[in-house]
Amino acid sequence: MTEKGFWDGVRAATPTVFGYLSIGLAFGIVAAKSGVSPLETGLMSLLVYSGSGQFALCALILAQAPLASIALTVFLINLRHFLMNLHTSTIFSRASLAEQVLIGTFMTDESYGVLLGEHIHHKEILPVWMYGNNFAGYVTWFLASVTGALVGGLIPNPHAFGIDFALIAMFVAIFASQLQGMLQKIALKKITWILLVVLLAYVGFSRFISTSLAVLVATLLGCLTGVVLDD
């Protein structure tokens, strides 16, 4: 079997690219309306590189929140990346520490989802494939967010175009590919139980704690359910 390289990873990230084009534009527009310059928006996308974190960051800037509150909020929002990187390190167990750090630094929810879909079909994945997967999303997010910041003043109501739905469509496309591969190896009943636990846990815990922590707790409970149901 031919090993997949960098450009194969870029092609695999197509759902992420299309999703980031619209969501990045939306973020750039929000940033512009929050008083963040296009240069600052570009630096934020390059250095922070967190969709939900950057949206929250703009809201906190607009509210003139203290720096400590901004840093803590963005940290909690991205806390789930610890779990994702722990799992990713098992997929690239032969990679060096530097390669692991490079993969984890640029990995997002979307590139992680694409990786899981690829891992269902191919157990051996080269780090260079993941570089391509991450790179495609990183560059697209940067370019789209800067473009949105530059044209932000020209679009009074970005929600009228429905671009916020692109994030949902992107995850549906990624998850559909994963589910198709999972059904070949895992019983539908088990998958249904896991998804039900995750859904109920998220809905229940989000009433008492932040949505970011609710995602983390729901993920852990979903993992626990999968372990319990595993033969």
Side-chain angles (χ1 to χ4, degrees):
M1 183 178 64
T2 304
E3 294 181 326
K4 295 186 176 183
F6 180 87
W7 292 110
D8 294 300
V10 172
R11 285 190 287 271
T14 300
T16 304
V17 168
F18 281 110
Y20 279 9
L21 282 173
S22 53
I23 301 302
L25 284 171
F27 166 70
I29 295 168
V30 169
K33 294 186 180 300
S34 300
V36 181
S37 70
L39 176 60
E40 292 168 334
T41 300
L43 289 173
M44 192 187 303
S45 294
L46 288 175
L47 301 177
V48 179
Y49 189 40
S50 163
S52 54
Q54 288 177 232
F55 274 106
L57 200 156
C58 286
L60 292 170
I61 290 175
L62 193 61
Q64 298 182 336
L67 182 60
S69 298
I70 294 176
L72 181 61
T73 300
V74 174
F75 173 77
L76 291 176
I77 287 174
N78 293 288
L79 196 59
R80 66 192 183 281
H81 284 270
F82 283 102
L83 283 177
M84 292 192 297
N85 278 286
L86 281 172
H87 179 235
T88 303
S89 66
T90 65
I91 297 177
F92 298 101
S93 57
R94 298 181 181 179
S96 66
L97 177 60
E99 291 173 324
Q100 296 271 16
V101 170
L102 187 60
I103 289 172
T105 300
F106 293 94
M107 190 172 69
T108 62
D109 299 289
E110 295 77 22
S111 63
Y112 175 67
V114 172
L115 170 64
L116 293 183
E118 182 71 14
H119 189 53
I120 290 173
H121 303 285
H122 305 92
K123 295 303 178 183
E124 293 294 330
I125 302 176
L126 296 177
V128 69
W129 179 93
M130 192 60 185
Y131 298 158
N133 179 19
N134 284 340
F135 177 80
Y138 185 62
V139 172
T140 304
W141 177 257
F142 168 73
L143 294 176
S145 61
V146 172
T147 302
L150 291 171
V151 303
L154 305 177
I155 305 177
N157 183 20
H159 294 289
F161 296 95
I163 57 179
D164 52 333
F165 183 74
L167 185 64
I168 300 174
M170 174 179 55
F171 274 112
V172 168
I174 293 173
F175 180 69
S177 175
Q178 291 181 20
L179 185 60
Q180 185 178 14
M182 290 168 63
L183 287 173
Q184 298 175 5
K185 302 179 181 180
I186 306 174
L188 178 60
K189 183 178 179 180
K190 293 181 180 181
I191 297 175
T192 302
W193 272 111
I194 294 171
L195 293 178
L196 184 62
V197 168
V198 172
L199 174 63
L200 294 177
Y202 173 75
V203 172
F205 281 101
S206 61
R207 295 175 178 270
F208 308 102
I209 58 179
S210 69
T211 54
S212 300
L213 289 178
V215 168
L216 191 66
V217 174
T219 302
L220 288 171
L221 290 176
C223 293
L224 177 62
T225 304
V227 171
V228 171
L229 295 177
D230 186 50
D231 296 330

